[in-house]
Amino acid sequence: MPTLPPERAGLSEQEPHRHRQIAESFGSDAERYDRTRPRYPDAMVDRIVAASPGPDVLDVGCGTGISTRQFQAAGCRVLGVDVDARMAEWARQSGIEVEVAAFEAWDPAGRTFDAVIAGQTWHWVDPVAGAAKAAGVLRPGGRLALFWNVAQPPPEVADAFAAVYRRVVPDVPAYTLTMPAMEMYSVMFTKPADGIRESGAFSDPEQWRFDWERPYTRDEWLDQVPTHGGHSQLPPDKLEELLAGIGAAIDASGGGFTMRYTAVVVTARR
């Protein structure tokens, strides 16, 4: 079954960190992104915090601050870094401190942290250079925790969505693949783990998983779709046609559906 949103999978074999134009496109509607993108399960946040030696956290690719706010609520002091000034400005409106830079080029100015986290963003970072950079800003015993939400709609909804994408945007194969969610996303977990090992600065990486669900109404899902990777670059008429088709598919399934998520963490100790 296709997994949605699949912005990472379509570029997996082409090394997504090299596709900066997509990595830097999410800020085109920062308000919508912050409002509609899924959060992370509290159990995941709690486990990362418990495995870290202290409360000082660097959030790489913090975006509008979705994960930042969750770690702040868990008692952490969080500094964000993001490549997109528009996303950073939105995060600052909620009181988050954010510095604008690509992580590989960011200047820590001598600062160190107890944890380096990245929610839904590490695939845009060079896996080897990123791990080395994280090692350089982590205190001894510090925790690197990279996490993604893997989404899997019900099979009948997934098939209907894939049919819409095949009809409207047949030249974007990432949205029409039919394979299990974890298989589709697996490269997103193996490349970071390989980069961590290659850096030589961390314990052997582990993978933690947290299952959760979220119901969506038709309007809630259609509100989120434009924030998925590459959608902001579609011609307006194509996006409108895509949303109409997806909306019709949800209507045919009763007007809503429950998305099954698995939050996957790739993590290692400095």
Side-chain angles (χ1 to χ4, degrees):
M1 304 301 170
T3 178
L4 299 172
E7 61 261 28
R8 292 160 297 284
L11 299 174
S12 62
E13 296 304 320
Q14 305 170 27
E15 300 184 295
H17 67 272
R18 299 185 186 278
H19 294 259
R20 303 306 310 180
Q21 75 279 11
I22 297 180
E24 297 171 20
S25 71
F26 295 102
S28 60
D29 193 348
E31 185 277 333
R32 181 195 298 267
Y33 188 100
D34 190 72
R35 172 166 47 82
T36 65
R37 278 295 185 113
R39 276 47 182 166
Y40 300 95
D42 290 340
M44 184 204 82
V45 175
D46 292 344
R47 184 168 180 184
I48 293 171
V49 172
S52 303
D56 294 326
V57 174
L58 179 69
D59 190 351
V60 176
C62 67
T64 60
I66 291 172
S67 54
T68 306
R69 291 190 296 269
Q70 290 192 252
F71 278 82
Q72 287 177 328
C76 297
R77 296 185 292 267
V78 188
L79 171 66
V81 176
D82 200 273
V83 72
D84 192 321
R86 299 164 299 180
M87 301 284 266
E89 183 57 34
W90 185 267
R92 291 183 185 122
Q93 292 178 25
S94 60
I96 297 169
E97 182 181 356
V98 187
E99 298 179 5
V100 178
F103 180 56
E104 299 94 325
W106 172 69
D107 181 8
R111 291 166 292 182
T112 58
F113 302 86
D114 297 303
V116 172
I117 64 171
Q120 219 77 15
T121 58
W122 197 258
H123 49 283
W124 301 121
V125 175
D126 182 284
V128 178
K133 187 66 169 277
V137 300
L138 278 170
R139 296 163 187 157
R143 173 71 49 178
L144 177 60
L146 319 171
F147 45 89
W148 293 263
N149 272 320
V150 178
Q152 180 68 68
E156 67 279 3
V157 174
D159 289 345
F161 286 177
V164 174
Y165 278 96
R166 282 195 296 269
R167 185 181 77 247
V168 179
V169 284
D171 55 339
V172 187
Y175 291 91
T176 63
L177 297 177
T178 53
M179 63 176 66
M182 282 301 175
E183 180 181 341
M184 195 172 186
Y185 277 65
S186 63
V187 72
M188 294 304 159
F189 314 139
T190 57
K191 282 185 179 294
D194 290 344
I196 289 169
R197 293 186 184 97
E198 189 169 336
S199 74
F202 292 91
S203 63
D204 196 49
E206 304 174 56
Q207 191 175 113
W208 303 341
R209 296 189 180 192
F210 303 84
D211 295 322
W212 63 286
E213 295 183 345
R214 188 204 189 284
Y216 285 97
T217 65
R218 176 187 188 275
D219 289 346
E220 285 172 339
W221 185 252
L222 293 181
D223 201 17
Q224 184 186 129
V225 168
T227 74
H228 297 167
H231 283 63
S232 65
Q233 299 174 327
L234 292 175
D237 61 328
K238 284 293 183 184
L239 180 59
E240 183 178 351
E241 184 181 357
L242 190 67
L243 293 175
I246 293 171
I250 297 173
D251 287 341
S253 296
F257 65 96
T258 296
M259 184 73 81
R260 290 186 290 111
Y261 286 103
T262 299
V264 179
V265 185
V266 176
T267 183
R269 183 176 56 81
R270 172 73 167 88

